[in-house]
Amino acid sequence: MSIEFHCPSCNKKLFSYEARVRKYGKLTKECKKCGATYIDPRCHELAIDGIPQDEFGVVQYILAIVIGILIAWRGIHMFGMHQLGVANEIQWFLPTVFILIGIAAVIGGIYEIIAIKTGIKKKKFDKMYEESKARMRDSSYIYTLEKLGYNIPEEYRMF
């Protein structure tokens, strides 16, 4: 289910997002229409929230590989079907799309598993964590977050 986010100042629709999708980085953004600063609900500060361990699970990527193989297999199987309900000139289109989506899922799953097993993904998150800690030492950033009503943990509060 998609959630729409509007600028708290001018009410312009800024973006739609899925609640389960996470972004990591600076929490504050500026509205391009009115210039107001707002907190992006999609973003998470790793220094506050910690590094999510579910990003390092291999099972979800194995599942993506299996589903990708099944989708590609279905696409290959569709090439043998002569009555897809479309004109003969474009009968190759739907099977090709299935095959390409399946291959993309397989390649993506393999890439993620390799990144997890070799430590590449961990290094990436460690770097983002250090960048987040640096942002949390910036008094103007903390002040802006507090002004916008974000709950800052005690360890980062500026007195």
Side-chain angles (χ1 to χ4, degrees), residues 53-65 109 112-114 116-117:
Q53 293 307 307
D54 63 342
E55 291 279 350
F56 302 100
V58 176
V59 174
Q60 62 198 7
Y61 300 112
I62 291 172
L63 184 61
I65 291 169
E112 288 294 329
I113 290 172
I114 290 170
I116 290 168
K117 293 298 184 181

Side-chain angles (χ1 to χ4, degrees), residues 9-159:
S9 183
C10 69
N11 204 34
K12 177 187 186 287
K13 180 184 173 190
L14 298 174
F15 50 82
S16 295
Y17 68 100
E18 297 291 327
R20 68 180 186 272
V21 176
R22 293 179 281 195
K23 292 175 69 177
Y24 305 102
K26 189 174 179 182
L27 297 173
T28 57
K29 306 282 191 259
E30 273 191 22
C31 176
K32 290 180 176 149
K33 181 179 179 190
C34 70
T37 302
Y38 63 91
I39 294 177
D40 188 337
R42 302 169 297 180
C43 292
H44 298 275
E45 276 291 358
L46 291 176
I48 295 173
D49 299 333
I51 296 175
Q53 293 307 307
D54 63 342
E55 291 279 350
F56 302 100
V58 176
V59 174
Q60 62 198 7
Y61 300 112
I62 291 172
L63 184 61
I65 291 169
V66 170
I67 291 171
I69 290 169
L70 292 173
I71 291 171
W73 175 82
R74 181 63 181 152
I76 292 167
H77 176 71
M78 288 171 75
F79 271 122
M81 301 173 75
H82 295 290
Q83 295 181 350
L84 291 175
V86 294
N88 287 335
E89 297 83 35
I90 61 167
Q91 254 187 339
W92 57 270
F93 181 75
L94 192 58
T96 303
V97 169
F98 270 65
I99 291 169
L100 292 176
I101 290 172
I103 290 171
V106 170
I107 291 171
I110 290 171
Y111 172 80
E112 288 294 329
I113 290 172
I114 290 170
I116 290 168
K117 293 298 184 181
T118 60
I120 293 170
K121 195 167 188 176
K122 174 101 171 80
K123 286 179 189 173
K124 176 184 151 193
F125 270 89
D126 288 344
K127 181 181 179 211
M128 289 190 303
Y129 182 76
E130 291 304 318
E131 291 168 354
S132 178
K133 282 179 26 180
R135 274 192 301 276
M136 295 307 292
R137 288 190 292 271
D138 179 359
S139 59
S140 63
Y141 181 60
I142 298 298
Y143 175 76
T144 302
L145 289 175
E146 287 179 329
K147 190 172 84 175
L148 293 171
Y150 192 83
N151 187 18
I152 306 291
E154 284 297 320
E155 63 188 285
Y156 296 112
R157 288 187 184 272
M158 306 290 170
F159 296 102

